[in-house]
Amino acid sequence: MLFRTGRMNLRVLFGFVLLALQSSGFHMAVAQNAGQCGSISTKNLVARVNFSYNITCYFCEFGAADQVEWKYAGNLLPSSYYTKITSNVSMVSLNNLGLTSQQGENLTCTFKTESYSTSVKTGYPPEAPRDLECVTQNFGKLKCSWRTGRDTNIETNYTVCSWLGDTCTEVGAKTFIERDFVAFQDLQLQITATNELGKQTSEKFRKVESDIVFQPYTPELLRVFKGLTDFQLTVEWNEGGTKYGVGLKLIFEIQIIHTHTMREVWRGNYSSALDFSRDRILQFNWTSDMPLQCTAHSVRIRAISGESEVLFSGVKAWSDWSLVLTLEGLDTFNQTKGQVYPVDGTVLKAGSSLTFCCVAGQGKKIDEFLFSDLNASVIELSDRSQAVKVQNVTPSIESGTNVLCIINKKEYEGAVIFIGYPPDLPRNLSCETRDLKTLNCTWEPGRSTSLVSKRRTIYTLIDRSSEITLPCEEASKIYPSYWCSFPISNGNGVYNLSVRGKNPLGEAQSHITVDVTRVFHPYAPHQLSEEAKILRSINVSWSDPVDYTGISLLCEMDIRDHLGSNMSYNYSVLGGPVDARHIVTLDNLRPNTRYSIQARYSAQHFWKWSKWSNLRNFLTEQAAPSTSLNVWRKIMPNRTVMIYWKPLSDAEANGQVLSYNITWMKIGSNSSTTVERSTSGVAIHLDQAAYIITVIAQNSAGTSPPSVVRIPAHTNDEHLGDFKAVGVGDGFHLTWLRHQVESCGYTVEWCEVLSNSECNISWQKFPSNVTSAIIKSDDFQVGVRYMLEVHECRDDGDYLLKRLVGYTRELAPAEAPNLDIEETTSDSVLIKWLDIPMDKQQGFIQGFKVYYSKLYNNSAFKPMGGQKLKTDNLLPKIINDSNARTFKIGGLEPGTTYTVALRAYTRGGDSPSRDVTVTTPNSPLAVILGITLPLVGVITLGVILSIFCYRKQEWIKETFYPDIPDPNNSKVLQDGTFLQGVNSCKTLEPKDCTPNEVQVVEEKQIGFDVEKEVEVADETEVVPEDISDTENQNQGVLSYSPRSAPVENSGKINPAFEAMASPSIYPSEVTYTSIRGPGYQQQEARDDEVEVIVKSGYQPQIHGAIDLPPIREQTEVQELMPRVNGYQPQAHRQSWSQDSGEFPPPETDSIGSPTSINSQAFLIPERMLGEDHSLRPGVKTWSLPFFQNSRMTFDSNDS
């Protein structure tokens, strides 16, 4: 009892001590077993930095508190930190604790063999979470992370709550939370951070879809290696499709750099649609512009989303770069022998731009580098290496392309390369099985690679599930049908197959997933045959070509009859061993029908039909006709009844119809008459009584049901009028009225209206509730008239209700009416015409159109070639009466020929025209006027002209024949000098003798023709002078005939005019003939060069011509010079000056004449020019105003 009391007092005392220590600012950790020996007040202390804490250690041995040692973090604490509570209880004070490691520090109390320890860990209370960011990497899960602020150094747990709801999630020490990604849904979170030192709550975060970041997983770069050629660098990475869980489109960015220079040489994208069902290994082949041996290449890769903003509107972020992998080059090797890259036998891709390297040995130099005889530019890579860059290389020939490198002018290094294409992706990959033992896969190779032999494309069939690989050696040799087989074990299951094509430039593969049960393509049924035949059924059997035991098959049986119709039946059968027979029964066949059958197989899970089996033909047995005949009658006026029936179709006859039995019996009589016919009609002669007629068809198997026709007593159907039927293009629309309440139906009968014979009857029957119908038939023709009759069926027979005629569609008449002239008058014509034949009308005639026109009216009729009257531009006279057969045309002109044309018209158009020509007779008055009016006009015109001429006779005389002036009144004759000059001239004076013909023969050729001689526009003439008869002149041949002219004498008369004044003058003719030699030159005339032959009478003078210098132009002379081959009067367009000391240059020689009877110009002799004459010429101008018709000016020399 005393011991218990003592211990109780100690506990009370210890409690007061603890209370005092706490009140002084110390924290004390107390364990649950505090106060028990062999313990420490706390096992794991979590303390706040810079705070102080007390820890008590309880020993079991008394007196331990005096010798206890406290160690913290392995260091002995000073004894000043100790406090002795009792002999076996010691307390230590940890003041202003610093930041410990995250694992904490050990605090140990030790006394002899007793040692107790605890863990001390310090830290900070949490800060409020901030900067919430939500990232998804697969659109399935959303990872939202936040920043925690200062590190607490102790475990801090987080609670994430939705601030719109009450749901909270404990995430522990993680600073993120994963939630399901829900598109188009806002995310609203609030985060609470809690640890042993405190608690903080964040603001309320709200994230919409546009705030969500999609960052793909970092691609796993597996390896980088040299591809099939020295130019090809292959990058291989794991797509990681299973991480995403959904089908996505990713864009992988690949970066390739030169390792030594860290220069980026290529950066590109590779797009891929993820296969989230597996982790695919993707490869990318990059083709360098130079061989990879030239330098080292490093590669890294990252990814980003390739989805459109329509599918995801959030932020797209690149993933982190993958690890860098490097492909080492050979540019640091110290080889002594030169090397060309690509090496011999390398296969290169066509269409690329390639760079070929030549590396010389150490200490050597490259002299020349050639590619296929192409002198391309050389790129210096180093002192030992050169490259040639070739753009867009083309596929090589089968023997390859040469690359040559010349080193030190004597060493040759080279390579033969082959240029082509990598394999194309196998297209239209398809697999099927025919026997459930082998899968046969076919595909198309795509583009040709241009590589052959050992460089050709080799195909391999791969089972991705079992990793079984089967080479398809024959696939490349059966182009374009590429085929490979794959064995299957149990005839079912799903196979994941790939076809891979590979050649030195690369590989391509296509994948397919095959469910064997759904690609079963069975063979066709074998040995289809007929087993047994019943009336309407037949048993058919066949066998399986291969072992299909236990396989459910679908058999389709196709049945066709000889009429072209077909039926299909499907039967489910269970396959059996080879040649096992399957039997089915085909029912519901038609009698007496020839059928052809064939069968084909498919699987229950349809994939493809097999081919058709062999074709089998068979004929079913005959049966009695199944339906009655369609019978109709035609009652003639003489009570001859024509019975018609339509032959039964093959489906109705059920066999060949052998005959038709026709039986008729008079109503009220028990006797009947039966006849047998093989045709489809019969004529029966009946009396006026009513009859019943029965018709049946018979074949070898029996007879058809009877068809009954009732013939009523004599009726008056023929007195019904005709109506016009309404045509609808391919038939007729008919309506009728019911006459009897109790009617057994209606029959519409029709036939073509013919003018020469009976028509072929057709009919169609309708039930009693039908009172309108559209009648159609394949025999209907447009433009043909049909007669239709509607008959009503009654108890005692059929009665005519309505008769119609019409056309399905009216056409224009095929012929014109025959036109003739009935009567003609001077101003009218009466025409008549005949009817158009019925078969040529082609419609109901509505009326006629009459055209007429004058015969030579260019707007309507052109008689050339017998053309008809053109009625297009003529306005017709329209006759709207279809019964009219005459028409009178009035208002015509008498004595005029007309062409008259006639057309008939229907609703379908106008007929061709028929033309006649008619001339209207003349009237007596028109004949008289036709003679009288022209005569009166001629007389009136003569009187008017006479009056005009009388009143204008002076003007007419002066204009057309003026008076000849008298030369004696000329002032020239009154001048004495003129007479002296005349006396000094040696002018011949013809008096009594008048020559008839004069011919002058000269040796010189004339210098101009006669016509040019009289044209004086560009010539000059001088007044001729008398010269000797022997002077040489350049003359032409001219002729003239003198005539008499009265002259009045006044003063002295020029002797030249005496000849003109003689009372009778006879015609004379002068002919000049010039003769010149080929060497003629103009020179002085000699007397012996001229021979004058005078046949009789006068011999004219021959004058020389002188060209005078121009003084003025006498344009009036030019206008008056006559242009005739006769005498040319003497005149001068130009005169030469009297003061001139020189003679003018000679003109073209001309002939002068002393006189001219035909001339009104005064004749003045020319001055003689010669060696013996040195006269100084003078010029004098003579004015002869008394010549009324002459305005010429003459030049003369004073003698």
Side-chain angles (χ1 to χ4, degrees):
M1 179 65 77
L2 292 175
F3 179 73
R4 290 181 180 177
T5 303
R7 295 188 64 180
M8 185 178 296
N9 293 332
L10 290 175
R11 289 178 181 175
V12 172
L13 178 61
F14 180 67
F16 281 103
V17 172
L18 289 178
L19 182 61
L21 290 175
Q22 290 178 357
S23 62
S24 62
F26 282 89
H27 294 274
M28 183 174 293
V30 181
Q32 292 180 354
N33 58 353
Q36 296 181 2
C37 67
S39 65
I40 195 167
S41 60
T42 181
K43 287 296 185 182
N44 295 294
L45 175 62
V46 177
R48 193 167 182 177
V49 176
N50 296 327
F51 276 63
S52 298
Y53 293 88
N54 294 323
I55 299 176
T56 303
C57 186
Y58 300 92
F59 295 96
C60 293
E61 188 173 345
F62 289 97
D66 297 328
Q67 302 180 22
V68 66
E69 290 183 353
W70 289 90
K71 288 184 178 180
Y72 178 68
N75 299 318
L76 183 63
L77 294 175
S79 58
S80 59
Y81 289 6
Y82 306 165
T83 300
K84 179 179 179 183
I85 304 301
T86 63
S87 62
N88 61 339
V89 177
S90 176
M91 182 177 65
V92 68
S93 297
L94 301 177
N95 300 323
N96 296 323
L97 286 174
L99 187 65
T100 64
S101 66
Q102 292 185 352
Q103 292 77 20
E105 303 293 344
N106 287 329
L107 177 65
T108 306
C109 58
T110 304
F111 173 72
K112 294 183 180 180
T113 60
E114 289 186 75
S115 179
Y116 309 101
S117 63
T118 185
S119 174
V120 178
K121 185 185 298 184
T122 61
Y124 301 99
E127 294 181 353
R130 62 181 182 272
D131 300 336
L132 180 67
E133 182 181 34
C134 295
V135 178
T136 181
Q137 292 185 296
N138 55 13
F139 292 106
K141 293 294 184 180
L142 190 64
K143 183 178 180 181
C144 294
S145 60
W146 54 87
R147 296 181 62 183
T148 60
R150 180 180 58 185
D151 185 13
T152 61
N153 200 51
I154 59 175
E155 181 179 353
T156 301
N157 296 319
Y158 296 91
T159 302
V160 182
C161 299
S162 175
W163 52 272
L164 290 182
D166 298 331
T167 59
C168 294
T169 303
E170 299 285 346
V171 297
K174 297 186 295 183
T175 59
F176 63 89
I177 183 173
E178 291 186 350
R179 303 175 74 90
D180 293 334
F181 177 80
V182 181
F184 311 112
Q185 180 176 330
D186 295 351
L187 183 66
Q188 298 152 347
L189 299 177
Q190 190 171 29
I191 307 168
T192 301
T194 306
N195 62 16
E196 296 185 38
L197 300 179
K199 178 179 181 181
Q200 288 290 340
T201 301
S202 70
E203 63 176 318
K204 294 179 179 180
F205 299 109
R206 180 175 182 175
K207 297 293 183 180
V208 297
E209 183 177 328
S210 59
D211 298 327
I212 306 301
V213 177
F214 174 64
Q215 182 182 33
Y217 296 102
T218 301
E220 181 184 1
L221 188 60
L222 300 178
R223 57 177 181 151
V224 177
F225 56 94
K226 184 174 71 69
L228 299 177
T229 68
D230 291 340
F231 290 86
Q232 189 178 83
L233 185 147
T234 301
V235 181
E236 189 176 273
W237 70 95
N238 186 353
E239 184 185 47
T242 57
K243 297 179 182 178
Y244 293 93
V246 293
L248 298 174
K249 181 180 179 181
L250 289 184
I251 299 175
F252 295 94
E253 185 180 48
I254 304 171
Q255 185 186 37
I256 301 176
I257 61 176
H258 282 161
T259 307
H260 298 298
T261 61
M262 294 304 292
R263 181 176 63 89
E264 181 183 279
V265 293
W266 187 82
R267 181 193 292 257
N269 295 333
Y270 178 91
S271 298
S272 174
L274 293 179
D275 182 1
F276 62 89
S277 63
R278 59 193 179 94
D279 290 339
R280 292 189 302 181
I281 305 301
L282 300 182
Q283 281 189 348
F284 175 76
N285 295 321
W286 173 70
T287 301
S288 172
D289 61 348
M290 66 177 64
L292 299 177
Q293 290 88 344
C294 295
T295 186
H297 295 77
S298 296
V299 181
R300 64 177 182 173
I301 187 172
R302 63 178 179 174
I304 196 172
S305 171
E307 297 293 340
S308 65
E309 294 184 1
V310 177
L311 299 177
F312 176 68
S313 61
V315 181
K316 300 175 184 177
W318 283 102
S319 69
D320 296 334
W321 283 105
S322 68
L323 297 176
V324 176
L325 297 182
T326 301
L327 176 66
E328 296 295 336
L330 303 177
D331 51 351
T332 59
F333 288 7
N334 295 325
Q335 76 279 8
T336 58
K337 181 177 175 58
Q339 180 66 49
V340 172
Y341 294 101
V343 297
D344 188 47
T346 301
V347 181
L348 302 177
K349 183 178 180 180
S352 57
S353 298
L354 305 175
T355 304
F356 300 89
C357 294
C358 179
V359 181
Q362 190 171 7
K364 297 181 180 180
K365 181 181 179 182
I366 299 173
D367 296 320
E368 193 173 5
F369 195 21
L370 302 175
F371 172 76
S372 183
D373 299 330
L374 179 64
N375 189 14
S377 59
V378 177
I379 302 172
E380 295 289 341
L381 299 179
S382 66
D383 58 346
R384 293 169 48 195
S385 179
Q386 288 184 357
V388 172
K389 190 169 186 177
V390 181
Q391 302 286 343
N392 193 20
V393 294
T394 58
S396 62
I397 60 176
E398 293 185 2
S399 60
T401 302
N402 294 320
V403 179
L404 179 63
C405 181
I406 303 175
I407 302 173
N408 287 352
K409 298 183 179 180
K410 59 181 179 179
E411 295 183 12
Y412 292 87
E413 298 293 338
V416 178
I417 62 173
F418 299 90
I419 303 173
Y421 296 99
D424 210 351
L425 192 70
R427 303 172 184 173
N428 299 329
L429 177 60
S430 176
C431 298
E432 66 179 21
T433 178
R434 306 299 301 270
D435 55 6
L436 296 177
K437 295 180 181 179
T438 304
L439 271 177
N440 300 320
C441 298
T442 59
W443 65 92
E444 297 175 5
R447 177 186 58 192
S448 174
T449 62
S450 299
L451 301 176
V452 296
S453 187
K454 63 181 180 179
R455 289 166 290 275
R456 73 181 189 277
T457 302
I458 303 299
Y459 289 94
T460 304
L461 188 62
I462 304 170
D463 181 8
R464 300 195 305 274
S465 302
S466 60
E467 298 298 330
I468 297 176
T469 301
L470 296 177
C472 302
E473 294 293 339
E474 299 298 323
S476 303
K477 301 178 182 179
I478 318 175
Y479 184 85
S481 299
Y482 281 68
W483 173 88
C484 195
S485 62
F486 181 80
I488 53 180
S489 57
N490 54 6
N492 55 30
V494 178
Y495 291 86
N496 295 319
L497 303 178
S498 297
V499 173
R500 181 178 63 194
K502 185 176 181 181
N503 71 4
L505 288 178
E507 63 180 41
Q509 60 181 358
S510 295
H511 311 286
I512 188 173
T513 300
V514 180
D515 186 348
V516 175
T517 60
R518 296 184 180 275
V519 294
F520 178 39
H521 184 195
Y523 290 102
H526 187 53
Q527 296 178 348
L528 183 67
S529 62
E530 171 189 346
E531 293 293 332
K533 183 168 57 176
I534 312 175
L535 180 62
R536 291 178 177 268
S537 301
I538 186 172
N539 293 333
V540 180
S541 68
W542 70 90
S543 62
D544 294 334
V546 296
D547 187 4
Y548 286 150
T549 303
I551 300 175
S552 297
L553 298 171
L554 179 65
C555 179
E556 182 182 51
M557 198 74 64
D558 182 72
I559 307 170
R560 295 178 181 269
D561 60 21
H562 65 281
L563 299 178
S565 61
N566 69 303
M567 299 177 293
S568 294
Y569 295 95
N570 292 329
Y571 300 93
S572 294
V573 297
L574 188 64
V578 179
D579 295 332
R581 304 296 293 182
H582 304 279
I583 300 176
V584 296
T585 301
L586 304 180
D587 297 321
N588 300 322
L589 302 180
R590 292 195 302 270
N592 192 47
T593 303
R594 185 171 299 279
Y595 288 97
S596 61
I597 60 173
Q598 55 185 351
R600 60 180 179 177
Y601 267 156
S602 77
Q604 288 290 345
H605 297 290
F606 179 78
W607 166 246
K608 290 180 181 178
W609 286 109
S610 69
K611 293 183 179 180
W612 288 104
S613 67
N614 57 302
L615 188 67
R616 293 290 298 180
N617 298 315
F618 64 91
L619 180 66
T620 56
E621 297 179 354
Q622 292 189 11
S626 59
T627 60
S628 59
L629 293 168
N630 186 352
V631 180
W632 183 240
R633 90 294 183 277
K634 181 72 173 179
I635 303 175
M636 302 299 177
N638 59 357
R639 290 293 286 179
T640 297
V641 178
M642 300 296 301
I643 303 298
Y644 304 98
W645 57 87
K646 295 181 180 180
L648 297 175
S649 65
D650 291 344
E652 296 169 339
N654 297 330
Q656 182 180 1
V657 175
L658 302 177
S659 63
Y660 298 96
N661 295 327
I662 303 95
T663 302
W664 64 92
M665 181 179 64
K666 183 184 297 186
I667 296 177
S669 174
N670 293 327
S671 63
S672 63
T673 303
T674 301
V675 295
E676 183 176 326
R677 294 287 186 271
S678 59
T679 60
S680 59
V682 65
I684 302 174
H685 300 283
L686 303 178
D687 55 20
Q688 302 297 325
Y691 282 82
I692 296 177
I693 302 175
T694 302
V695 183
I696 60 173
Q698 183 176 0
N699 63 11
S700 60
T703 61
S704 68
S707 297
V708 179
V709 177
R710 295 181 180 273
I711 305 299
H714 179 69
T715 61
N716 294 322
D717 293 347
E718 61 273 8
H719 298 296
L720 291 176
D722 295 343
F723 297 91
K724 285 188 178 180
V726 179
V728 291
D730 56 351
F732 295 95
H733 181 229
L734 304 182
T735 60
W736 58 86
L737 297 177
R738 186 193 305 269
H739 281 206
Q740 294 290 331
V741 177
E742 296 294 335
S743 173
C744 55
Y746 301 92
T747 302
V748 178
E749 169 196 320
W750 68 87
C751 70
E752 181 179 347
V753 177
L754 302 175
S755 58
N756 52 1
S757 63
E758 294 292 334
C759 62
N760 294 323
I761 298 295
S762 299
W763 68 91
Q764 185 175 352
K765 295 187 176 183
F766 297 94
S768 60
N769 60 344
V770 175
T771 57
S772 66
I774 294 179
I775 307 300
K776 293 185 179 182
S777 174
D778 294 337
D779 297 331
F780 282 150
Q781 299 180 26
V782 295
V784 176
R785 180 176 293 189
Y786 292 92
M787 177 176 290
L788 300 96
E789 294 181 351
V790 181
H791 296 264
E792 184 179 45
C793 176
R794 301 173 188 172
D795 293 339
D796 58 342
D798 295 279
Y799 290 85
L800 180 63
L801 293 182
K802 195 175 187 179
R803 182 181 290 119
L804 306 96
V805 291
Y807 298 84
T808 58
R809 180 162 61 87
E810 295 187 45
L811 301 178
E815 289 185 1
N818 290 323
L819 180 62
D820 198 4
I821 303 299
E822 179 73 12
E823 179 183 341
T824 60
T825 65
S826 60
D827 62 350
S828 67
V829 172
L830 180 63
I831 61 174
K832 67 176 182 179
W833 59 90
L834 301 178
D835 290 337
I836 301 174
M838 182 68 67
D839 57 340
K840 301 296 183 180
Q841 291 183 11
Q842 301 190 140
F844 294 110
I845 301 297
Q846 303 291 317
F848 303 91
K849 297 179 181 180
V850 179
Y851 303 85
Y852 63 93
S853 176
K854 291 183 181 179
L855 182 61
Y856 292 97
N857 188 349
N858 291 333
S859 63
F861 181 81
K862 295 184 182 300
M864 299 300 294
Q867 297 179 3
K868 288 188 173 184
L869 179 64
K870 295 183 178 180
T871 60
D872 296 341
N873 299 324
L874 295 180
L875 186 64
K877 301 289 186 179
I878 299 178
I879 306 171
N880 292 322
D881 185 5
S882 61
N883 297 319
R885 295 296 179 267
T886 61
F887 182 75
K888 185 175 183 180
I889 305 174
L892 304 181
E893 298 177 5
T896 305
T897 301
Y898 290 89
T899 298
V900 181
L902 179 67
R903 295 177 185 266
Y905 66 91
T906 65
R907 293 183 184 275
D910 296 349
S911 71
S913 63
R914 184 87 65 179
D915 298 354
V916 295
T917 301
V918 61
T919 302
T920 57
N922 292 321
S923 63
L925 179 61
V927 174
I928 296 173
L929 292 177
I931 298 174
T932 305
L933 291 178
L935 181 60
V936 172
V938 172
I939 295 173
T940 303
L941 181 61
V943 172
I944 294 173
L945 289 176
S946 300
I947 296 173
F948 177 79
C949 293
Y950 177 77
R951 300 186 64 180
K952 298 292 183 178
Q953 56 181 340
E954 294 298 330
W955 175 80
I956 293 174
K957 180 177 181 299
E958 292 177 359
T959 302
F960 295 102
Y961 49 93
D963 293 336
I964 299 175
D966 188 358
N968 295 323
N969 296 327
S970 174
K971 293 181 180 181
V972 178
L973 299 179
Q974 298 176 4
D975 191 352
T977 58
F978 175 74
L979 295 177
Q980 295 177 1
V982 171
N983 293 330
S984 64
C985 293
K986 297 178 180 181
T987 304
L988 294 180
E989 299 178 358
K991 295 182 178 178
D992 297 334
C993 180
T994 301
N996 294 329
E997 181 179 0
V998 178
Q999 183 175 10
V1000 180
V1001 179
E1002 296 180 343
E1003 228 176 337
K1004 294 182 181 179
Q1005 185 178 355
I1006 61 175
F1008 48 88
D1009 56 19
V1010 176
E1011 292 184 0
K1012 292 183 179 179
E1013 197 174 340
V1014 299
E1015 294 177 2
V1016 297
D1018 296 328
E1019 299 178 358
T1020 58
E1021 296 181 356
V1022 297
V1023 178
E1025 295 183 358
D1026 292 338
I1027 59 173
S1028 63
D1029 296 339
T1030 61
E1031 184 179 358
N1032 185 18
Q1033 300 292 336
N1034 183 10
Q1035 301 294 338
V1037 179
L1038 302 173
S1039 63
Y1040 71 94
S1041 297
R1043 66 180 181 180
S1044 61
V1047 179
E1048 295 182 1
N1049 297 328
S1050 169
K1052 290 185 178 181
I1053 302 175
N1054 190 341
F1057 288 96
E1058 292 181 358
M1060 294 188 296
S1062 59
S1064 60
I1065 299 299
Y1066 300 96
S1068 297
E1069 180 179 353
V1070 181
T1071 302
Y1072 290 83
T1073 303
S1074 175
I1075 301 175
R1076 289 178 182 163
Y1080 164 76
Q1081 291 182 352
Q1082 186 171 349
Q1083 57 185 356
E1084 296 295 335
R1086 294 182 303 197
D1087 295 341
D1088 56 355
E1089 290 179 354
V1090 179
E1091 179 181 0
V1092 179
I1093 299 175
V1094 180
K1095 292 185 179 179
S1096 63
Y1098 166 72
Q1099 179 178 349
Q1101 297 173 325
I1102 300 175
H1103 303 282
I1106 301 174
D1107 192 6
L1108 300 179
I1111 297 178
R1112 67 179 181 273
E1113 296 223 353
Q1114 301 293 337
T1115 59
E1116 296 176 344
V1117 176
Q1118 180 180 0
E1119 294 175 357
L1120 295 176
M1121 293 301 293
R1123 300 182 181 273
V1124 294
N1125 191 15
Y1127 170 73
Q1128 182 174 356
Q1130 298 170 333
H1132 298 280
R1133 296 175 56 196
Q1134 298 175 349
S1135 300
W1136 49 277
S1137 172
Q1138 294 179 351
D1139 299 331
S1140 174
E1142 297 179 358
F1143 289 94
E1147 277 188 331
T1148 303
D1149 294 341
S1150 62
I1151 283 185
S1153 177
T1155 183
S1156 176
I1157 302 303
N1158 294 330
S1159 175
Q1160 293 180 352
F1162 192 80
L1163 304 182
I1164 301 176
E1166 296 181 355
R1167 180 170 295 278
M1168 190 69 181
L1169 298 178
E1171 296 177 355
D1172 298 335
H1173 298 79
S1174 58
L1175 300 177
R1176 180 180 179 88
V1179 178
K1180 186 173 183 179
T1181 301
W1182 297 87
S1183 176
L1184 304 177
F1186 52 88
F1187 293 107
Q1188 296 181 7
N1189 291 336
S1190 176
R1191 291 175 293 173
M1192 295 184 295
T1193 303
F1194 297 91
D1195 298 338
S1196 178
N1197 297 330
D1198 296 335
S1199 57

